[in-house]
Amino acid sequence: MLSLTKKTEYALIALSYLAEHQDKTVSAREVAENYGMPGALVMNILKTLHHAKLLSSTRGTKGGYRLIADLSTISVHDLIGILEGPVRLVECALDGKTHEPRQCRIYPACPIQAPVHGLHAQMVKFLSETKLTDILSPKRRAERAHA
């Protein structure tokens, strides 16, 4: 099954929470407890997002994270890349850095290579065009709740 990883799902939830609470510094524990997510995983995700310069971090007893990135400029594809590495529908999909296909065992004779690469390109295009604000804005969440 093709799905977002828990890491990406939790990052989206955490970013949504931080976007709603931009007026304060939020701890990883607060985010995790609000949604019943594993604290250690949320902490690691927030650290990764901090290193990617999406969040600022404050140490200490009143420490935590604040959203500093403009979510309208960051795509779902960018977020997945930050957390998971390159997006690949299949092993032989084009590498985002070298733009060369990775070789699998049956690559030279693969009967589905071209159509699957086309599907991969469409998926990457969609993820690249979908900005985090498309998912995380309160208006979008309210529209979904009423659908």
Side-chain angles (χ1 to χ4, degrees), residues 64-130:
Y65 297 90
R66 291 177 90 102
L67 182 64
I68 59 171
D70 178 356
L71 297 181
S72 68
T73 65
I74 302 165
S75 71
V76 174
H77 184 265
D78 296 334
L79 182 66
I80 293 169
I82 289 166
L83 297 166
E84 309 288 345
V87 171
R88 283 213 178 93
L89 183 59
V90 290
E91 182 182 4
C92 65
L94 295 176
D95 181 321
K97 292 181 182 176
T98 64
H99 302 290
E100 296 292 326
R102 291 185 59 187
Q103 301 294 320
C104 75
R105 189 173 51 81
I106 61 169
Y107 183 81
C110 181
I112 61 166
Q113 176 185 336
V116 169
H117 283 196
L119 181 60
H120 170 80
Q122 288 178 359
M123 181 183 71
V124 167
K125 181 178 185 279
F126 175 77
L127 292 172
S128 296
E129 291 173 351
T130 304

Side-chain angles (χ1 to χ4, degrees), residues 50-71:
H50 167 68
H51 290 300
K53 303 198 182 337
L54 274 66
L55 308 177
S56 66
S57 173
T58 306
R59 293 179 181 256
T61 56
K62 299 214 185 237
Y65 297 90
R66 291 177 90 102
L67 182 64
I68 59 171
D70 178 356
L71 297 181

Side-chain angles (χ1 to χ4, degrees), residues 6 11 15 20 30 43 65-66 74 84 86 91 101 118 144:
K6 284 292 182 195
L15 287 169
E20 287 180 7
E30 180 179 340
M43 190 179 308
Y65 297 90
R66 291 177 90 102
I74 302 165
E84 309 288 345
E91 182 182 4
R144 181 65 186 131

